[in-house]
Amino acid sequence: MLEKHYSPSDIESRIYQQWDDAGTFRGGRKNADGTPAEPFSIVIPPPNVTGSLHMGHALNNTLQDVLVRFERMRGKDVLWQPGTDHAGIATQSVVERQLMERQLPDRRAMGRAAFVERVWQWKEESGGTITGQLKRLGASCDWSRERFTMDEGLSRAVTKVFVDLYRQGLIYKDKRLVNWDTKLLTAISDLEVQSVETKGHLWYFRYPIKNPGKLKQKFIVVATTRPETMLGDTAVAVHPDDKRWTKYIGKMVELPLTGREIPIIADEYADPEQGSGAVKITPAHDENDFEVGRRHDLPLINIFDQHGAMNENVPEAYRGMDRFDARVRIVADLEALDLVEKIEPHLLKVPKGDRSDSIIEPWLTDQWYVDAKTLAGPAIQAVEDGRTVFVPKNWEKTYFEWMRNIKPWTISRQLWWGHQIPAWYGPDGEIFVAFNEAEAQALAEAHYGKPAELRRDEDVLDTWFSSGLWAFSTLGWPDETPELARYYPTSVLVTGFDIIFFWVARMMMLGLHFMHEVPFHTVYIHALVRDEKGQKMSKSKGNVMNPLDLIDEYGADALRFTLAAMAAQGRDIKLSANRVEGYRNFATKIWNAARFGEMNGCKSVADFDPSSAKETINRWIAGEAQRASAAVTEAIEQQRFNDAANAAYQFVWHTFCDWYVELAKPILTGASETARAETQAMFAWTFDRILALLHPFMPFITEELWQRTGEAVGGRDSMLIVAPWPELSSLEDKAADAEIAWVIEFVSEVRSVRSEMNVPPAAQVPLVISGAGDAVKARAERHRDTLARLARLSAMRFEAAPPKGAVQIVMKDAVLALPLADIIDLAAETDRLRREIDRVKGEIAKLDQKLSDEKFTARAPDHVVEENRERLANAAAAEKRLHDALKRLEAAA
RNA sequence: GGGCGGUUAGCUCAGUGGUAGAGCGCCUCGCUUACACCGAGGAUGUCGGGAGUUCGACCCUCUCACCGCCCA
């Protein structure tokens, strides 16, 4: 006997263990005839190995699991490839912080080997957290194939990709301005920089012009948001067409505080509309200025050290000062010299590191780059051709936009945690890129004609460099494994829009380059999970909802169902706990439906054929089940998760529980043995399909009920997770549908009127049907018990006309009368009928107008015109019956 | 500045060229032998403003307003 309430925590871990133990998550499924099943593969977006599950993961993995479970039930050979990434900067930072908190020597003090060892330890400690949490969510990944970006195999893939790209000229080393994080002391890529709008100032400085002679201006005014960079200025630029300054071009300026002289140059970068039209040029500390410097062959003066403090290239007074302290000091010093023209408040975009939140400095260093432009070509082409499709499609625009304007990808990081770059340097700085040190030595020997002392590049690669290989490295590449042949290209990638550039684009580029095929056919992009007010969840706002707390409180199924039901394409999810609670209630509802079946002897019958059912409600529910399963199937196929979830919800609660169960009750307790047996079997058959349809969304409760209800028939053939998906056909019966629709209308109408007339719910009242044809009479007769029970009738009889003083319900094909003379409020009832008449009249007027418009009848499609004619006829008939009813009522008064 | 998205019931959101929907909330009633994590009934919308296309627009086009996000 099932308990009254479903208690998720009692069963979730046990059920999960059963699935895992039975190997149901493993790929490699065969068809019944032993041939390999059609493959369906997904690679998980690898979470940070030391991270923990947040709502974004919960959504992302729920959607993947829905697809995976759906396809598994459809008999496909499903591989959901799980794993984690090493999250270079994030993980290294965590460990460094730990060292600091425990007052241990920092990483430099302990040395590279010891530090990396320590990070591995941390990975061992916390690395299982997130995978454990994914299991609590119900994720049916093939854990036997779990991978980590720094695994031996994946590392080999990284090395090979680096070496190959280098030898193909697609990876190179260059000295350019990079985004330098002065806190983490590493370069980062453009994508890891966020511009943050900040209130600042615009400082206008007067730079004295040297030997102005007869010229009007003795100073040239330049504006800057970063006064401290003036120490690195190497020119002042004006626009070549700016007449105000033409005569000054070629003159020198005395750069204050430095004793240096710099030229006034003409360059189109200077905007005549801005300020004085002159702009200071600091080629070593600004991307645009760097370009100007390159055009004019200006010297680059680097004024910062790696921490963002002033270095030896600035006057002694400022050396060693932090950049922001230097700013204050420089402004003060210039003011003292009366060289500050004005200071204005100014809104500017400040670049910040997404990990460190510190202000990023464009800084001149040697770094490794990938020639992304070349790799992007085929990746753009593949989406243009439709070999990879984005869902929703509009994300393709975002993808194209970025890909077509792609810049070189900075892949080196000044970190220790990650894949160390396979490059070695000879004594003269010659670079040898090789698979390993031995090969590098051999290359060096060939180059120098003798063995040479080599030094390995200390830097590691961007984590996304290894995640960019994820779709094939996890399948065994560079080895030619059977899995690679079978599961690549993968079927679909499910991910958030925030990593289209970071990850999707890179997998496209690298997948096409090394596998010559797209990494996935479909990219399903889902939205962000926000709080109920639409705010992004963040620790600092304190509005973070922890998926594990929700699972504890409401069960994994409820959380999953909520996320799926809210995952409408192209829209963010505003999550609130009471929505989850609502779907927890849904789980309880399902549980109780099972309980009802159990109490009424509804057991699955092995060879039951639903199309053989005789009872109208059974013929009807079979058709409803077919429609529901078609709707759910189609929606999942199109990745319309909310539609799928809602179709299932609607069917289960409002069709099956609200009506079928109620309609079945009289039969289940009735006299006819055959009808009862058929209904018991049909209930069980339908409920089994319900469990299957819901399984992708609510795997735990459905599996539990599948097993529990299976006990009554000596156990199930298989677990639900691998049971067949309902694919139903030929079960629709229009006559049954019409009849049950009539019953439902009958009951609803009577209930509605009873409620409106304040008939006590417990009171059973007689009902008179009049104006009914033989077919309607027969119909009412057939469902006499049901109608009486659900509408709470004491008697039901047929008469030529409704009795006087009765409440009358006008249906399409009959008038139902409740003789309530003693309790009826005549005025209220008259009022009710008048309102009804008004409503119908309004409808008639609208339809009349439409149908008398020749343009409408001539141009609208026939079926629409026909439909409107029918509606008019029905409305007119209803109006007549209502009028009759009103007359009768008035006669009774 | 460029791009994308949004504006539909109190709230959160579906939706389609042909009679405006769901969940939650709200109101009334009810312990009817699956379920009060429930049942029955009910109220609530100028579908952001304006113009156009169309026999017909919540839906298509244009425009305006406001709100988000991404990229410069």
Side-chain angles (χ1 to χ4, degrees):
Chain A
M1 178 72 187
L2 293 165
E3 308 73 30
K4 200 164 165 182
H5 286 269
Y6 168 55
S7 172
S9 54
D10 292 349
I11 66 158
E12 288 180 352
S13 59
R14 170 170 50 83
I15 293 276
Y16 195 88
Q17 198 60 49
Q18 282 177 19
W19 288 328
D20 206 2
D21 289 348
T24 58
F25 300 158
R26 301 270 183 99
R29 171 88 91 79
K30 298 270 197 288
N31 289 319
D33 62 5
T35 55
E38 184 187 339
F40 180 86
S41 54
I42 294 187
V43 291
I44 202 170
N48 296 358
V49 66
T50 59
S52 61
L53 197 76
H54 62 236
M55 213 42 96
H57 294 125
L59 171 66
N60 178 249
N61 290 288
T62 293
L63 300 183
Q64 290 177 80
D65 200 43
V66 168
L67 292 175
V68 157
R69 286 178 184 270
F70 169 67
E71 297 294 0
R72 185 152 47 219
M73 290 175 81
R74 294 217 289 184
K76 291 192 186 167
D77 167 11
V78 169
L79 173 66
W80 185 7
Q81 172 65 52
T84 50
D85 78 32
H86 62 278
I89 295 183
T91 310
Q92 173 161 329
S93 302
V94 168
V95 176
E96 290 197 86
R97 202 174 325 128
Q98 285 173 359
L99 293 174
M100 207 166 69
E101 279 162 7
R102 292 172 204 174
Q103 304 193 319
L104 292 166
D106 71 7
R107 74 171 157 115
R108 279 164 231 284
M110 70 196 289
R112 183 167 188 144
F115 179 76
V116 169
E117 177 54 32
R118 191 160 183 111
V119 185
W120 275 106
Q121 268 171 29
W122 168 239
K123 184 252 171 193
E124 292 311 320
E125 257 173 64
S126 68
T129 306
I130 196 157
T131 49
Q133 292 169 331
L134 284 169
K135 290 176 184 177
R136 289 210 52 200
L137 188 67
S140 59
C141 308
D142 185 348
W143 298 108
S144 69
R145 298 188 48 81
E146 186 180 348
R147 292 292 183 276
F148 174 52
T149 44
M150 282 172 64
D151 276 353
E152 189 278 325
L154 272 66
S155 300
R156 198 149 49 85
V158 166
T159 306
K160 178 168 168 56
V161 165
F162 189 95
V163 173
D164 284 2
L165 288 177
Y166 177 78
R167 289 177 185 171
Q168 291 159 5
L170 294 169
I171 280 183
Y172 56 90
K173 203 167 183 186
D174 198 5
K175 191 183 199 86
R176 312 168 38 115
L177 289 184
V178 293
N179 303 299
W180 184 260
D181 191 315
T182 56
K183 207 159 165 185
L184 299 173
L185 305 181
T186 178
I188 56 178
S189 75
D190 295 342
L191 287 175
E192 292 158 280
V193 180
Q194 308 290 328
S195 7
V196 181
E197 197 155 271
T198 311
K199 280 182 196 158
H201 296 91
L202 204 51
W203 284 269
Y204 292 80
F205 296 150
R206 285 198 280 260
Y207 286 1
I209 296 168
K210 191 168 185 203
N211 302 328
K214 286 189 209 142
L215 291 171
K216 244 189 285 176
Q217 306 294 336
K218 309 298 177 206
F219 297 96
I220 188 162
V221 177
V222 294
T224 180
T225 57
R226 305 200 52 197
E228 66 280 12
T229 62
M230 61 88 56
L231 298 179
D233 286 357
T234 55
V236 170
V238 297
H239 196 278
D241 301 337
D242 190 344
K243 298 223 170 63
R244 293 171 294 177
W245 295 112
T246 316
K247 290 180 182 157
Y248 297 81
I249 295 167
K251 289 256 172 209
M252 297 302 278
V253 160
E254 290 171 13
L255 186 64
L257 310 178
T258 64
R260 285 194 286 118
E261 290 179 4
I262 58 176
I264 296 175
I265 60 171
D267 193 283
E268 294 187 347
Y269 171 65
D271 180 358
E273 308 290 312
Q274 292 285 321
S276 68
V279 59
K280 66 194 258 325
I281 302 295
T282 324
H285 295 287
D286 180 278
E287 203 62 62
N288 293 311
D289 293 5
F290 182 80
E291 296 302 324
V292 175
R294 194 171 259 189
R295 286 197 284 274
H296 298 271
D297 206 19
L298 299 173
L300 289 117
I301 301 178
N302 178 12
I303 58 166
F304 297 135
D305 68 12
Q306 60 173 353
H307 302 285
M310 312 309 287
N311 67 11
E312 69 285 358
N313 294 330
V314 302
E316 197 151 355
Y318 307 103
R319 278 180 207 165
M321 287 178 86
D322 176 77
R323 52 193 162 150
F324 300 107
D325 299 334
R327 172 179 300 180
V328 176
R329 176 74 177 277
I330 285 165
V331 171
D333 289 350
L334 287 173
E335 267 174 337
L337 294 169
D338 194 25
L339 293 176
V340 178
E341 170 109 351
K342 58 179 171 176
I343 303 172
E344 288 175 348
H346 185 68
L347 209 57
L348 71 160
K349 296 283 182 98
V350 174
K352 292 199 166 176
D354 63 359
R355 292 283 170 196
S356 66
D357 203 37
S358 67
I359 295 177
I360 295 304
E361 206 56 61
W363 204 47
L364 200 61
T365 54
D366 287 308
Q367 301 290 342
W368 290 93
Y369 292 90
V370 167
D371 174 2
K373 188 118 204 135
T374 302
L375 293 175
I380 292 167
Q381 189 74 48
V383 175
E384 283 171 344
D385 294 350
R387 277 174 284 148
T388 292
V389 177
F390 280 72
V391 177
K393 197 144 182 85
N394 51 300
W395 288 110
E396 288 179 5
K397 235 177 156 154
T398 306
Y399 172 86
F400 286 139
E401 185 64 23
W402 189 71
M403 284 294 240
R404 286 173 183 150
N405 297 300
I406 200 163
K407 306 232 183 70
W409 172 18
T410 318
I411 49 171
S412 40
R413 297 287 180 276
Q414 286 63 52
L415 306 173
W416 288 348
W417 175 240
H419 300 99
Q420 193 172 355
I421 292 173
W424 284 259
Y425 301 97
D428 57 352
E430 181 70 21
I431 299 171
F432 302 97
V433 168
F435 285 93
N436 50 49
E437 182 151 14
E439 196 199 359
Q441 286 290 355
L443 290 171
E445 191 166 341
H447 175 77
Y448 294 115
K450 58 177 184 188
E453 179 105 356
L454 295 183
R455 178 179 55 80
R456 184 165 184 178
D457 195 309
E458 295 205 342
D459 293 347
V460 300
L461 290 163
D462 183 4
T463 307
W464 295 104
F465 189 87
S466 49
S467 349
L469 316 178
W470 189 250
F472 47 101
S473 64
T474 52
L475 296 173
W477 189 89
D479 297 335
E480 287 179 17
T481 62
E483 287 81 8
L484 193 62
R486 183 149 186 73
Y487 299 113
Y488 190 96
T490 63
S491 310
V492 53
L493 181 77
V494 178
T495 192
F497 62 80
D498 49 333
I499 55 174
I500 291 178
F501 306 147
F502 280 111
W503 194 46
V504 180
R506 271 115 184 220
M507 277 200 289
M508 287 293 289
M509 292 191 276
L510 294 166
L512 280 160
H513 191 76
F514 286 94
M515 297 294 296
H516 311 294
E517 264 191 285
V518 294
F520 18 72
H521 296 302
T522 301
V523 180
Y524 177 83
I525 301 289
H526 62 246
L528 240 51
V529 183
R530 299 171 178 279
D531 76 0
E532 54 195 318
K533 294 187 198 99
Q535 303 271 316
K536 207 164 167 173
M537 291 187 190
S538 75
K539 277 183 199 155
S540 51
K541 282 190 203 131
N543 62 347
V544 175
M545 296 174 86
N546 183 343
L548 297 162
D549 293 345
L550 290 170
I551 290 175
D552 286 339
E553 189 165 2
Y554 302 110
D557 290 329
L559 175 63
R560 292 168 57 111
F561 202 90
T562 307
L563 292 171
M566 296 183 82
Q569 290 183 3
R571 200 135 170 169
D572 284 346
I573 292 180
K574 290 181 199 159
L575 188 66
S576 75
N578 73 30
R579 197 72 193 255
V580 185
E581 187 184 350
Y583 290 118
R584 186 273 317 267
N585 297 350
F586 180 48
T588 307
K589 188 77 181 174
I590 298 162
W591 187 263
N592 278 291
R595 236 173 131 242
F596 173 83
E598 187 181 47
M599 293 165 105
N600 286 279
C602 302
K603 297 176 194 168
S604 304
V605 174
D607 50 359
F608 178 71
D609 173 10
S611 67
S612 71
K614 299 286 182 291
E615 292 296 318
T616 316
I617 62 159
N618 289 335
R619 299 192 61 73
W620 165 74
I621 197 65
E624 289 285 349
Q626 177 180 322
R627 280 188 284 277
S629 74
V632 174
T633 303
E634 196 183 336
I636 301 179
E637 280 174 340
Q638 297 172 359
Q639 286 108 24
R640 302 179 63 90
F641 299 98
N642 58 322
D643 288 346
N646 288 327
Y649 182 95
Q650 191 66 27
F651 173 63
V652 173
W653 199 315
H654 297 307
T655 302
F656 187 77
C657 292
D658 285 352
W659 288 105
Y660 180 72
V661 167
E662 294 306 323
L663 296 171
K665 279 175 181 172
I667 304 181
L668 290 170
T669 55
S672 165
E673 190 82 30
T674 11
R676 189 191 325 144
E678 179 187 293
T679 302
Q680 287 168 329
M682 182 59 85
F683 180 105
W685 177 88
T686 309
F687 195 71
D688 284 352
R689 265 86 215 146
I690 283 174
L691 293 178
L693 286 176
L694 287 172
H695 184 262
F697 302 96
M698 307 185 114
F700 293 106
I701 187 174
T702 52
E703 183 72 68
E704 173 72 3
L705 286 174
W706 177 257
Q707 294 182 16
R708 297 280 292 268
T709 56
E711 286 163 13
V713 290
R716 301 278 185 178
D717 293 342
S718 72
M719 284 195 263
L720 182 58
I721 188 175
V722 288
W725 181 253
E727 289 179 45
L728 310 177
S729 61
S730 316
L731 294 175
E732 284 183 296
D733 178 343
K734 286 224 160 64
D737 293 347
E739 185 153 324
I740 298 303
W742 183 85
V743 170
I744 289 174
E745 190 191 351
F746 182 112
V747 171
S748 303
E749 288 289 346
V750 174
R751 281 174 174 171
S752 177
V753 167
R754 286 178 61 119
S755 167
E756 200 168 343
M757 292 294 116
N758 291 317
V759 178
Q764 302 214 344
V765 296
L767 177 132
V768 174
I769 302 178
S770 59
D774 289 344
V776 173
K777 280 184 185 166
R779 199 176 248 184
E781 208 54 75
R782 262 200 303 282
H783 298 283
R784 175 178 281 279
D785 291 350
T786 304
L787 296 172
R789 180 189 178 114
L790 297 185
R792 297 197 66 73
L793 306 175
S794 57
M796 185 172 84
R797 59 182 195 275
F798 302 94
E799 283 176 16
K804 283 188 177 173
V807 178
Q808 301 161 76
I809 298 162
V810 175
M811 285 176 69
K812 236 187 332 216
D813 42 18
V815 174
L816 313 181
L818 298 172
L820 299 168
D822 40 346
I823 40 173
I824 187 174
D825 176 344
L826 277 178
E829 176 62 358
T830 308
D831 203 43
R832 182 182 71 89
L833 287 175
R834 289 217 166 103
R835 277 202 317 269
E836 272 292 283
I837 290 171
D838 282 350
R839 189 182 58 77
V840 173
K841 272 187 170 161
E843 200 183 331
I844 289 174
K846 241 167 66 185
L847 288 164
D848 249 340
Q849 196 191 4
K850 205 174 208 181
L851 284 162
S852 60
D853 184 350
E854 272 173 41
K855 283 187 211 154
F856 172 72
T857 47
R859 297 192 201 180
D862 291 347
H863 75 273
V864 172
V865 176
E866 195 41 48
E867 202 182 297
N868 279 277
R869 289 218 169 96
E870 244 172 69
R871 268 188 355 231
L872 180 59
N874 287 339
E879 193 198 5
K880 184 175 180 304
R881 285 162 192 277
L882 284 163
H883 266 298
D884 292 346
L886 187 62
K887 260 186 255 164
R888 279 191 296 267
L889 195 67
E890 284 163 352

